[in-house]
Amino acid sequence: MAVKKIWTINHACGDTTQVDLSDRPADRRAGYARWLAERDCTDCWRATQGEDAESKAEWLAKKRAAEQAEAEEWSARYRMPPLEGTARAIAWGTRCRHQLMAAAYTAIVAEGTTSEEEWAAIEDAARPLTRAGWWIDQRDADPADLPELLAAATAGDRPTENPHF
């Protein structure tokens, strides 16, 4: 007698489905059927993922809003000028600038050998970089590399008195 190929699965959600397991080796069908029975059916799983996606999106929006508020408060406290770019880029760039500057302070001043006076010079070098895209591009940079990155920034990343439009 051949091992059955069509299995009736009583899912954890209470639904029952017929599943064709002919694509699995005969000796693995029973174990896979048991595993399927411990889970919700596809429709119920998708429904819960949809709710999960909404709650994740809500959580992410709250997290981003908190990060944005913290970054804007930090920018005001340390006299960092507003960034330039699209509204979305400005918000993202402001968060990236705050995160990189805070991490760099920790890496090169708090845990490193850079003095507060040297850090003030690094902050002064960062202030003219107002292109949001520059800060976004540096989001994955090693914080200890910030002084070198600031030195490598181009004139296009800094505004001029007489911009050419």
Side-chain angles (χ1 to χ4, degrees):
M1 184 169 150
V3 176
K4 67 180 177 176
K5 296 177 183 177
I6 306 296
W7 290 71
T8 301
I9 309 294
N10 296 315
H11 292 279
C13 62
D15 291 340
T16 301
T17 60
Q18 296 287 317
V19 180
D20 182 356
L21 299 180
S22 61
D23 60 337
R24 300 201 172 270
D27 63 338
R28 296 187 181 208
R29 292 178 191 158
Y32 187 68
R34 190 171 36 257
W35 181 84
L36 286 173
E38 295 170 356
R39 279 141 187 80
D40 290 346
C41 70
T42 302
D43 292 338
C44 291
W45 180 82
R46 283 188 182 134
T48 60
Q49 293 304 307
E51 291 173 20
D52 231 12
E54 289 176 25
S55 64
K56 285 178 187 175
E58 184 179 314
W59 171 83
L60 184 59
K62 287 179 183 177
K63 181 179 181 214
R64 289 286 181 256
E67 288 174 350
Q68 192 67 36
E70 183 180 346
E72 288 172 4
E73 187 273 327
W74 174 88
S75 294
R77 183 176 345 131
Y78 292 100
R79 302 177 328 278
M80 291 292 169
L83 297 180
E84 300 168 353
T86 65
R88 184 174 175 202
I90 290 169
W92 189 12
T94 301
R95 290 191 311 271
C96 291
R97 176 176 64 181
H98 170 245
Q99 291 164 353
L100 180 57
M101 293 290 289
Y105 180 85
T106 300
I108 63 180
V109 177
E111 297 172 356
T113 59
T114 302
S115 69
E116 289 289 337
E117 293 78 28
E118 291 169 317
W119 176 253
I122 293 170
E123 281 184 335
D124 289 341
R127 281 189 185 91
L129 292 171
T130 57
R131 188 175 68 82
W134 189 89
W135 292 99
I136 294 167
D137 290 346
Q138 310 316 314
R139 70 185 178 275
D140 295 324
D142 184 335
D145 292 340
L146 182 62
E148 186 178 348
L149 295 169
L150 292 171
T154 66
D157 299 315
R158 297 177 175 92
T160 61
E161 296 264 340
N162 299 313
H164 302 285
F165 291 103

